[in-house]
Amino acid sequence: MSRQESRQNLSAEGADSLLLAGVNDGNFMELQRALGVRVSQRGDAVTLLGTPEQVERATPVVQTLIDMARIGQSIEAEDVFRIAHHGEVLDREPAGDASRIHFPGLRKSITPKTAGQREYVRLMQDNDIVIGIGPAGTGKTYLAVAKAVEALARKRVKRIILARPAVEAGESLGFLPGDLQQKVDPYLRPLYDALEDMLPPERIQKALETRVIEVAPLAYMRGRTLNDAFIILDEAQNATGPQMKMFLTRLGVNSKVVVTGDKTQIDLPRREESGLVQVERILPGIDGLVFHYLTEVDVVRHRLVKDIIRAYAEDQAG
């Protein structure tokens, strides 16, 4: 070891070695790319090698990853990149905090990965209507579905209702092949995908058959009062003003509503027709209804998604 090279040993006792290092040491390789520090693990000891500055910067990042591996939380290279570059280690709350989403009866939990996501989950816990706005990949829909599944598993609600406007990319349902269910399923597929990541297929199928979980186009909500339900409207930027009013007024006793949308992906003929844009203007200040904004910092997909979102935003601003 040269005089300019520094070494730091950290205890990884109790941490899952594979979760920590990643497949083929992918997480350690990402740390080296992100921070220039070399990381290795032998037994319960993790060693950091690099310049004093590199090691000092990397130490709290690696400690956060060790803490995550100790509680069985999955760690991917994208998590390493985000924690290293966005100071998430400074915002990180203790393991087992209230923002973790647990599914009783299933050996699974979901932990928000950014401060913005944690606040989103907290707001869903504490308010009857939450409107989550942000770009793709920020977990708006996924976390909302997770909170719905948790509420159902804990018997806080009797059913889950997931809705989407059937208006995307200028397509019309009438021109699509198949019966009505076949026509609407492509629009609803992302909601099914989220469910399938949280529940066994047989439980989903049974819940759909008994209508404990209902996945339907927004138009199906008209004329209903939804009690004891966790109701999610996804892709709300494509709901018109009248549709949004209709949806929000479905709220019944002991129910929660979460609305998610991305204002940069409005497919309606005119932007001002979007119910999401309209409620931003007319609903702030109502007690029990809150808006939450997620940003590119909260993107947890591939890091390129964050760069793509930033590039489009800069182009629109310029």
Side-chain angles (χ1 to χ4, degrees), residues 211-232:
R211 301 182 71 81
V212 169
I213 297 178
E214 181 179 347
V215 186
L218 174 58
Y220 284 28
M221 300 299 107
R222 190 173 302 279
R224 303 172 65 182
T225 299
L226 304 174
N227 298 320
D228 297 308
F230 198 116
I231 314 147
I232 298 170

Side-chain angles (χ1 to χ4, degrees), residues 121-234:
V121 169
R122 186 191 68 77
L123 290 172
M124 286 190 282
Q125 187 75 30
D126 296 341
N127 294 273
D128 290 334
I129 300 178
V130 176
I131 300 175
I133 299 173
T138 52
K140 302 183 301 293
T141 303
Y142 189 82
L143 290 172
V145 173
K147 285 300 289 182
V149 171
E150 180 190 48
L152 183 66
R154 294 184 181 278
K155 304 188 186 308
R156 292 172 182 157
V157 297
K158 294 180 179 178
R159 55 183 171 156
I160 296 171
I161 298 173
L162 310 173
R164 263 190 166 204
V167 179
E168 301 201 11
E171 295 178 348
S172 169
L173 287 178
F175 293 96
L176 295 177
D179 61 22
L180 181 60
Q181 193 61 44
Q182 290 171 321
K183 287 180 179 184
V184 300
D185 268 355
Y187 296 101
L188 305 174
R189 186 70 249 173
L191 298 171
Y192 287 112
D193 288 343
L195 283 172
E196 288 167 1
D197 200 37
M198 300 167 198
L199 293 170
E202 61 275 10
R203 288 184 62 172
I204 295 175
Q205 188 59 40
K206 182 178 179 182
L208 290 170
E209 289 172 356
T210 58
R211 301 182 71 81
V212 169
I213 297 178
E214 181 179 347
V215 186
L218 174 58
Y220 284 28
M221 300 299 107
R222 190 173 302 279
R224 303 172 65 182
T225 299
L226 304 174
N227 298 320
D228 297 308
F230 198 116
I231 314 147
I232 298 170
L233 174 60
D234 190 36

Side-chain angles (χ1 to χ4, degrees), residues 29-71:
M29 292 168 64
E30 182 62 37
L31 274 167
Q32 183 165 356
R33 281 192 293 268
L35 301 177
V37 69
R38 300 191 302 283
V39 184
S40 61
Q41 183 175 8
R42 178 171 294 180
D44 289 336
V46 175
T47 301
L48 285 63
L49 287 173
T51 67
E53 294 79 11
Q54 290 170 339
V55 170
E56 181 179 8
R57 186 179 174 199
T59 296
V61 175
V62 175
Q63 186 61 60
T64 294
L65 298 176
I66 291 172
D67 293 342
M68 293 169 69
R70 280 188 176 128
I71 63 174

Side-chain angles (χ1 to χ4, degrees), residues 120 129-136 140-141 144 162-168 187-188 190-191 216-219 221 231-248 257-280 283 290-293:
Y120 181 46
I129 300 178
V130 176
I131 300 175
I133 299 173
K140 302 183 301 293
T141 303
L162 310 173
R164 263 190 166 204
V167 179
E168 301 201 11
Y187 296 101
L188 305 174
L191 298 171
L218 174 58
M221 300 299 107
I231 314 147
I232 298 170
L233 174 60
D234 190 36
E235 298 290 345
Q237 74 276 1
N238 290 325
T240 65
Q243 285 177 326
M244 181 69 80
K245 179 182 177 183
M246 176 274 292
F247 175 79
L248 291 175
V257 163
V258 178
V259 175
T260 70
D262 178 354
K263 293 188 295 179
T264 69
Q265 296 192 36
I266 296 173
D267 295 318
L268 296 170
R270 293 192 300 275
R271 176 183 173 84
E272 60 271 18
E273 292 179 351
S274 171
L276 187 64
V277 173
Q278 186 183 67
V279 296
E280 251 193 317
L283 294 186
V290 296
F291 289 82
H292 182 62
Y293 294 86

Side-chain angles (χ1 to χ4, degrees), residues 90-132:
L90 300 177
D91 296 326
R92 182 172 168 76
E93 296 183 4
D97 68 86
S99 69
R100 291 190 73 195
I101 302 170
H102 301 269
F103 305 126
L106 298 174
R107 297 182 62 187
K108 184 178 179 68
S109 66
I110 291 173
T111 304
K113 293 185 175 183
T114 70
Q117 288 188 348
R118 283 197 297 271
E119 177 65 7
Y120 181 46
V121 169
R122 186 191 68 77
L123 290 172
M124 286 190 282
Q125 187 75 30
D126 296 341
N127 294 273
D128 290 334
I129 300 178
V130 176
I131 300 175

Side-chain angles (χ1 to χ4, degrees), residues 81-99:
F81 180 88
R82 174 180 47 77
I83 293 170
H85 286 288
H86 294 290
E88 183 65 18
V89 63
L90 300 177
D91 296 326
R92 182 172 168 76
E93 296 183 4
D97 68 86
S99 69

